[in-house]
Amino acid sequence: MPNLRFLRGYNDAVVLGLARSGTVTRGELAERSGLTPQAVSKVVGRLVADGLLVESGTRNVGVGKPRTLLKLVAGSRFALGAQVERGELRVVLTDLAGDVLDRAVTPLPADPDPAALVGELVRLVAPMRTDRLLGVGVGFVGPLDHRTGTATALGERPDVPLRDLAERALGLPVVVDKDTTTAIVAESWRRGEELRDAVLVLVGAGIGVGLLLGGRVHRGARTNAGEFGHTTAQLDGPPCACGRSGCVAAVHDRAARAGDLAAATSVVGRAVADLVRLLDVDHVVLAGRAVLAAPEAYLAGVRARMRLPVDVGITPLADDVVAAGAAMLVLSEFYGRPR
């Protein structure tokens, strides 16, 4: 019986994931999922009864009667996503399709107390709660341990069990991941199979990168891949918060503080070009406060250094990209996909 329950859950997730891409017939679901038509009919029956799918018209497919179309009911379930950035907390509400329906933003101290941070999260979440809420995702500045939800970059404090604190306070399932990882998850959801080998460069209070390699999010052995801002850009460069000197983030920030936008974007451009040569990706997505404040300058700075046929663009999700991606991590669990 336990194995049967697992199989039902997995099959339901497979069918839901396929329905997320648009209206489909039962026959198309069987063909694309590898399930038998009988199994698909049982799964669809359950999902329709649960309000997750709805019949939506018909389609002529040649000889025989028209096929009934099935559509995801996006408003049948919801997820919340949060971004904890230095100086700001942002929370968004998404539906089952991943579309952002609502948002709330509040300032944070530069070094927030964990209890105060969780209290602000509870306050912003409260107006968006619904009985159809699946859980809360949190995108947090690294380094952190994604597996345990432990934050290691919350000021001078020892490891903070952020996931456990938030789950107790909210009474909801919580997943915690790096902000750069949730951001690349958001882009992957938005663009689907088009995006298989890509980097998302987040330029904000620091500089980091989310990695999508072979269609899968890459977190690394300690779930801290993507500390891009702490690679060396200038051997005799300015000191960095990490204790080293000449890091990409430190060199970029020095130029930005001096008002030299051309130099700041050039630093990012050179570093991104090196990253593309190292990983051989074909998509670069730019995001973060600094990029959104001067999008054309950062686009030009990166494109000018690129010597390979790489698509370079700016996320259309703007300020919501990290928080929306955190919500999509929760949705990924519901769809049976790995976080």
Side-chain angles (χ1 to χ4, degrees):
M1 184 65 76
N3 289 337
L4 177 59
R5 282 200 297 268
F6 169 79
L7 183 61
R8 275 186 181 175
Y10 176 78
N11 289 347
D12 289 3
V14 168
V15 169
L16 272 178
L18 292 172
R20 186 170 67 87
S21 61
T23 53
V24 289
T25 67
R26 287 171 174 80
E28 288 168 339
L29 288 172
E31 180 180 348
R32 292 161 61 184
S33 68
L35 298 172
T36 66
Q38 294 82 359
V40 166
S41 291
K42 289 180 180 178
V43 169
V44 167
R46 286 197 297 273
L47 296 178
V48 169
D50 287 342
L52 298 169
L53 290 181
V54 66
E55 294 185 346
S56 176
T58 59
R59 177 191 297 157
N60 290 319
V61 291
V63 178
K65 68 178 183 179
R67 301 290 190 267
T68 300
L69 293 171
L70 298 159
K71 182 175 69 172
L72 181 74
V73 182
S76 60
R77 299 291 187 278
F78 302 94
L80 287 164
Q83 177 186 15
V84 182
E85 192 173 15
R86 293 182 181 94
E88 182 180 281
L89 172 65
R90 174 180 296 264
V91 174
V92 302
L93 176 71
T94 71
D95 61 17
L96 201 52
D99 293 328
V100 175
L101 307 176
D102 197 5
R103 65 179 55 78
V105 183
T106 191
L108 284 177
D111 181 19
D113 174 78
L117 168 60
V118 172
E120 285 297 283
L121 179 62
V122 170
R123 184 176 68 82
L124 293 193
V125 162
M128 302 185 198
R129 291 190 73 130
T130 164
D131 59 359
R132 291 174 288 170
L133 193 60
L134 297 171
V136 181
V138 180
F140 195 81
V141 61
L144 58 78
D145 189 333
H146 159 71
R147 294 162 297 197
T148 64
T150 301
T152 59
L154 203 51
E156 299 300 320
R157 300 171 185 83
D159 293 354
V160 176
L162 185 59
R163 184 184 67 196
D164 293 345
L165 291 173
E167 282 189 341
R168 284 198 294 270
L170 292 166
L172 290 166
V174 175
V175 57
V176 176
D177 213 329
K178 284 181 63 172
D179 51 5
T180 49
T181 299
T182 68
I184 194 66
V185 166
E187 283 298 305
S188 176
W189 264 65
R190 186 178 68 83
R191 296 169 69 170
E193 286 301 310
E194 169 198 347
L195 209 68
R196 292 194 56 78
D197 292 284
V199 295
L200 182 139
V201 182
L202 191 67
V203 188
I207 299 179
V209 62
L211 304 169
L212 188 74
L213 304 177
R216 295 181 66 85
V217 173
H218 178 74
R219 291 184 175 87
R222 285 163 290 279
T223 75
N224 275 305
E227 291 294 315
F228 174 62
H230 298 298
T231 54
T232 303
Q234 184 180 336
L235 290 176
D236 60 349
C240 182
C242 72
R244 298 170 33 167
S245 296
C247 292
V248 171
V251 178
H252 167 269
D253 290 352
R254 180 180 63 180
R257 285 194 299 270
D260 192 342
L261 184 58
T265 59
S266 179
V267 169
V268 174
R270 288 198 304 271
V272 171
D274 287 343
L275 186 65
V276 168
R277 291 188 187 96
L278 177 67
L279 298 176
D280 193 24
V281 297
D282 51 12
H283 293 274
V284 172
V285 184
L286 305 178
R289 289 180 183 176
V291 169
L292 297 176
E296 294 305 319
Y298 278 91
L299 270 178
V302 173
R303 286 172 175 168
R305 298 286 176 174
M306 207 61 62
R307 297 292 182 266
L308 297 169
V310 176
D311 174 69
V312 182
I314 294 175
T315 176
L317 293 168
D319 290 321
D320 290 336
V321 65
V322 170
M328 291 169 197
L329 284 177
V330 176
L331 297 180
S332 292
E333 292 288 305
F334 189 70
Y335 284 116
R337 296 170 59 189
R339 289 175 177 172

